[in-house]
Amino acid sequence: MLSEPVIEIRHPLMQHKLTLMRSKETTTDNFRRLLREISQMLAYEVTRDLPLENIQIETPVATIDAPAISGKKLCVISILRAGNGILDGMLDLLPNARVGHIGLYRDPETLEPVEYYFKVPEDIADRLVIVVDPMLATGNSAAAAISRLKLRGAVSIKFVCLLAAPEGIKVMQAAHPDVSILTASIDQCLNEHGYIVPGLGDAGDRLFGTK
């Protein structure tokens, strides 16, 4: 099976805001605001190919057939905890989307994901699923989350992140070649601790001010 594409969004506004996020001088409140703003742009890009159907409406001056999104509402799945930073921004543009959460943490010794929470809509098989997490580092957590979603019946899945490492992309494409990846930046590599280089540090800690 051919792998779905990896799409790197190089919009100037997004790249500017990402540069501000990377700086270690950026405060928690500004980091949070910038992540929300970039997430709105990512939501715009990941929904670019949503199907449309014409519905009849009345404007103040005429009756017309106008395009509207067809089918069931989207489902956005946040990989806890940092995924909620992207989720909040996406819901600004997609307020009717259904929401699910998958709780995973990375074992500091093995770097493998350990699941502690899973709650998604019952009819997830009928929806386009957008999985969000700021960092695609080793790729293990994202791959594990998508595997769980597929076990629950999810068929149409996209993955959205702020930063991706080549190592994480390789793991994701090997495990889930049918899932497209959309990111604001493909960075250089992972360091010996599994952090993205140059990256921006631990997204969860910077988002919630826990370090």
Side-chain angles (χ1 to χ4, degrees):
M1 181 187 296
L2 294 176
S3 294
E4 284 291 310
V6 179
I7 302 170
E8 186 180 22
I9 307 300
R10 303 297 299 176
H11 191 286
L13 280 177
M14 188 179 296
Q15 294 304 310
H16 172 76
K17 292 176 185 295
L18 180 55
T19 294
L20 296 177
M21 288 188 71
R22 290 184 190 273
S23 172
K24 65 180 183 180
E25 305 300 327
T26 298
T27 60
T28 298
D29 59 332
N30 283 329
F31 187 93
R32 192 176 295 147
R33 174 183 56 80
L34 288 162
L35 179 56
R36 193 179 192 115
E37 291 172 354
I38 292 177
S39 299
Q40 292 170 353
M41 299 180 196
L42 291 171
Y44 177 85
E45 294 294 338
V46 77
T47 56
R48 182 179 288 277
D49 59 352
L50 288 180
L52 296 172
E53 62 181 353
N54 283 334
I55 61 172
Q56 190 173 88
I57 64 168
E58 291 187 15
T59 77
V61 295
T63 299
I64 62 168
D65 290 329
I69 295 172
S70 64
K72 285 199 172 184
K73 299 294 189 296
L74 303 170
C75 180
V76 184
I77 304 292
S78 169
I79 299 179
L80 298 174
R81 62 183 167 144
N84 282 355
I86 294 182
L87 173 66
D88 290 343
M90 287 204 163
L91 291 179
D92 288 339
L93 288 189
L94 307 168
N96 293 321
R98 302 298 186 265
V99 175
H101 295 88
I102 300 178
L104 297 167
Y105 68 88
R106 187 170 60 174
D107 186 290
E109 299 297 327
T110 66
L111 302 183
E112 292 297 316
V114 180
E115 181 183 313
Y116 64 88
Y117 186 79
F118 185 87
K119 184 72 172 180
V120 300
E122 292 293 331
D123 60 351
I124 195 169
D126 301 324
R127 301 178 183 276
L128 168 62
V129 176
I130 301 172
V131 181
V132 298
D133 193 359
M135 316 297 276
L136 180 61
T138 65
N140 294 328
S141 294
I146 291 171
S147 292
R148 285 285 279 118
L149 291 169
K150 287 181 174 179
L151 286 175
R152 285 293 298 269
V155 176
S156 180
I157 305 172
K158 296 184 178 186
F159 181 80
V160 176
C161 59
L162 188 66
L163 302 180
E167 295 91 333
I169 291 172
K170 183 177 179 180
V171 167
M172 273 284 287
Q173 290 191 320
H176 303 289
D178 56 325
V179 174
S180 60
I181 301 169
L182 187 143
T183 183
S185 177
I186 299 174
D187 277 18
Q188 295 173 9
C189 61
L190 297 179
N191 65 16
E192 64 274 17
H193 302 294
Y195 282 91
I196 297 176
V197 179
L200 48 72
D202 187 296
D205 284 335
R206 296 196 65 186
L207 178 65
F208 297 110
T210 47
K211 241 182 209 182

